[in-house]
Amino acid sequence: MCNSFKQELMRGQHLFGTTSPTLVSRTSLTAPTPDVFRIALYLASATVNASTTTYSATGEVPNSGTYTAGGSIITIQDPGLTGTTAFAGPTSASTVSWTTFTGTAFDCALIYNSTQGNRAVSVHTFASQTITAGTFTITFPTNAAGTAILNLA
Amino acid sequence: MDESELVKKEYVEEHPEHDGHITEYWLKDELVHRSVHLFMKKGLDVFGQSAVLA
């Protein structure tokens, strides 16, 4: 498989099939507006995994402080390609945080495309966390092949 | 609340894929504040795999 194809997939430059998918307009075909992505938090009791297809409020942490249903917007940088690995993610060491927040036993973050029908992108689990009237901050990993949020190897 | 009675605790929970920096404030035996800063070391999914195209 061509390595450039992996990067181009992330840029939406290929459209397979004989039927047209339903897409929310990106305004221009020659200079399309990138989609908006969000990150939402889920309880340890929720079922969120590779079979998840869209964002759902079921199992999401309750609204608290600056956390509201649907989570927060994150900016995904232009996909890169190093060797045989295409990758995409937020800027290295960038953060997303929620303040005056109380949440109990949550262990999962869903990244989804809020422009294109809340379609699920990826699920990221971590050790179960409890926040008490405090701040929950996620610092994203280095945005490079092998460490980025999303890798196509 | 007498803030002079608050006890601050800070510690790190290490994990192969992320570290959690924890800050807690205790008033006697009651936890009144807990913040977590999660440092992700690499992208992962629930099955611990990167997407792979055959």
Side-chain angles (χ1 to χ4, degrees), chain A:
Chain A
M1 179 169 295
C2 299
N3 296 317
S4 58
F5 170 70
K6 302 171 188 176
Q7 184 181 30
E8 290 163 359
L9 270 180
M10 291 181 165
R11 290 173 170 168
Q13 289 177 287
H14 297 278
L15 179 58
F16 291 111
T18 57
T19 60
S20 300
T22 300
L23 294 176
V24 173
S25 174
R26 296 189 174 107
T27 305
S28 167
L29 290 176
T30 54
T33 302
D35 294 338
V36 175
F37 295 87
R38 303 182 72 95
I39 184 167
L41 302 176
Y42 286 84
L43 302 172
S45 58
T47 299
V48 184
N49 52 35
S51 297
T52 299
T53 58
T54 58
Y55 160 79
S56 169
T58 301
E60 186 179 10
V61 297
N63 291 352
S64 176
T66 59
Y67 188 92
T68 56
S72 296
I73 291 174
I74 57 172
T75 300
I76 305 296
Q77 300 301 305
D78 290 343
L81 178 65
T82 300
T84 60
T85 301
F87 59 92
T91 302
S92 299
S94 61
T95 64
V96 61
S97 61
W98 299 275
T99 59
T100 56
F101 172 64
T102 294
T104 302
F106 60 95
D107 70 351
C108 177
L110 171 71
I111 294 176
Y112 65 98
N113 187 331
S114 62
T115 300
Q116 301 297 337
N118 289 339
R119 287 182 168 83
V121 173
S122 59
V123 174
H124 305 268
T125 57
F126 40 83
S128 183
Q129 303 293 327
T130 292
I131 309 297
T132 303
T135 300
F136 181 61
T137 304
I138 295 175
T139 293
F140 292 104
T142 299
N143 192 29
T147 57
I149 287 294
L150 301 172
N151 294 272
L152 289 178

Side-chain angles (χ1 to χ4, degrees), chain B residues 30-53:
Chain B
E30 180 184 1
L31 177 66
V32 296
H33 172 99
R34 188 173 197 270
S35 290
V36 174
H37 190 152
L38 203 67
F39 291 85
M40 296 181 69
K41 297 178 180 178
K42 63 178 181 178
L44 52 87
D45 63 24
V46 68
F47 298 111
Q49 297 174 342
S50 297
V52 176
L53 298 180

